[in-house]
Amino acid sequence: MRQLPRRPIDKAAFRERYGPWAVIAGASEGTGECYARQLAAMGINLVLVSRRQGLLETLGKDLAGEYGIEYRAFFQDLTDVDAGVRIVEASADLDVGLYISNAGAGGFSAFLEESTDAAHHLVRMNITTLIDAANGFGKRFLKRGKGGIIVMASGAGLGGQPNLVMYAATKAFEINFAESLWAEYHERGIDVIGIAAPIMRTPTLLRIVPADFDTSRAFDPADVTNNALAGLLAGEPVQIIPDGPGVEKLPQVEADRRERLKGFVEFNKSFTGG
């Protein structure tokens, strides 16, 4: 696997700002499990969400035993039309300070040769559920005066790709959604970051690529999630991990997006008087 230098995280500061509970949608394996382990190591209690209850319970018990945290395993298919609302309701009695949208990926497909079922599946998982959960938790964060939202998008969202029509489109939504939320609410105590993630060696990747796919080109998901947590605490709106064609240009793309976003924050104030 390819490695990313891990950025340091002030664990006490992170726990103070985003604890005592975090909700991870898509927590059973891969990047979701990495987030769970890293947050548990900071002493943050976890609501683990996915459609695989057994894996969630095993992970939760493991983390509770190792780090002494509390956990709640919540069975929920993220493609259900009311998934986001139900995730918010399932943690209504908890002081949640962090929501991580970590919806999984679909496989490769040719858009016109397939039915639209898979397309609507991705829209519900990557858009509808994110909208409802971010709105529900965001309202709670406004009342408590602090909180964070991490949106695990993909580098595929930076532009179109063959055989990934709906995946690229929904991940583009996620990136722009996260950036816009950051612009709208970071001055009111809510930190939001969108992660344009690279190819990572996760169980999902291994399920969808050919058996002879060279996974040495894939990144370690634990490195990506560590740096996402560090970026959230640092107040960054977006991270683009350089990968794929045009990789040498992506650091400048990230810098340009951040500057453009900051410019629009100030530009918007001329209309709102904020």
Side-chain angles (χ1 to χ4, degrees):
M1 286 188 294
R2 295 163 65 183
Q3 305 294 315
L4 281 174
R6 291 199 185 188
R7 295 170 55 179
I9 301 174
D10 184 332
K11 294 182 179 180
F14 194 99
R15 185 171 57 251
E16 168 61 26
R17 185 156 185 80
Y18 307 117
W21 284 86
V23 177
I24 306 172
S28 58
E29 63 180 17
T31 51
E33 180 180 350
C34 290
Y35 275 124
R37 293 191 178 280
Q38 290 163 355
L39 292 171
M42 297 186 205
I44 295 176
N45 304 312
L46 301 171
V47 178
L48 305 171
V49 183
S50 87
R51 61 185 176 181
R52 288 179 281 187
Q53 187 82 12
L55 289 177
L56 293 184
E57 289 288 356
T58 298
L59 176 60
K61 290 176 181 177
D62 181 29
L63 297 178
E66 185 172 358
Y67 298 108
I69 65 157
E70 298 180 58
Y71 79 94
R72 179 175 295 178
F74 180 61
F75 171 82
Q76 177 61 58
D77 188 331
L78 299 180
T79 69
D80 288 348
V81 293
D82 61 347
V85 173
R86 294 190 65 198
I87 291 169
V88 175
E89 291 175 345
S91 58
D93 60 324
L94 303 176
D95 186 10
V96 174
L98 175 63
Y99 175 67
I100 299 178
S101 172
N102 186 59
F108 298 100
S109 64
F111 183 73
L112 297 181
E113 275 83 298
E114 304 286 343
S115 75
T116 58
D117 290 346
H120 291 295
H121 174 101
L122 278 175
V123 168
R124 291 193 300 272
M125 180 168 60
N126 293 343
I127 297 179
T128 305
T129 297
L130 172 59
I131 289 171
D132 289 340
N135 183 270
F137 286 115
K139 284 182 168 65
R140 290 163 64 174
F141 297 162
L142 277 178
K143 290 181 180 179
R144 74 199 296 268
K146 59 184 178 181
I149 299 172
I150 297 176
V151 181
M152 282 299 288
S154 166
L158 298 174
Q161 293 190 26
N163 302 314
L164 290 173
V165 170
M166 289 306 302
Y167 182 73
T170 58
K171 291 301 178 180
F173 172 87
E174 288 182 342
I175 294 171
N176 283 277
F177 181 81
E179 288 179 328
S180 298
L181 271 187
W182 178 91
E184 202 162 329
Y185 289 104
H186 78 283
E187 293 181 349
R188 299 177 64 184
I190 301 178
D191 302 318
V192 185
I193 189 168
I195 309 299
I199 294 176
M200 295 174 286
R201 196 181 192 283
T202 63
T204 297
L205 176 71
L206 297 179
R207 283 193 291 267
I208 66 175
V209 298
D212 60 352
F213 181 80
D214 182 8
T215 59
S216 67
R217 296 179 293 166
F219 285 85
D220 184 343
D223 292 344
V224 175
T225 55
N226 176 89
N227 289 357
L229 296 171
L232 180 74
L233 185 60
E236 299 167 6
V238 65
Q239 282 184 6
I240 300 175
I241 292 84
D243 190 29
V247 63
E248 71 283 350
K249 299 178 181 179
L250 291 182
Q252 188 60 52
V253 170
E254 178 185 86
D256 289 345
R257 289 184 76 109
R258 290 186 185 185
E259 287 306 309
R260 177 182 180 275
L261 193 59
K262 292 176 183 177
F264 270 109
V265 169
E266 296 307 313
F267 180 71
N268 185 260
K269 290 177 180 177
S270 66
F271 291 98
T272 63

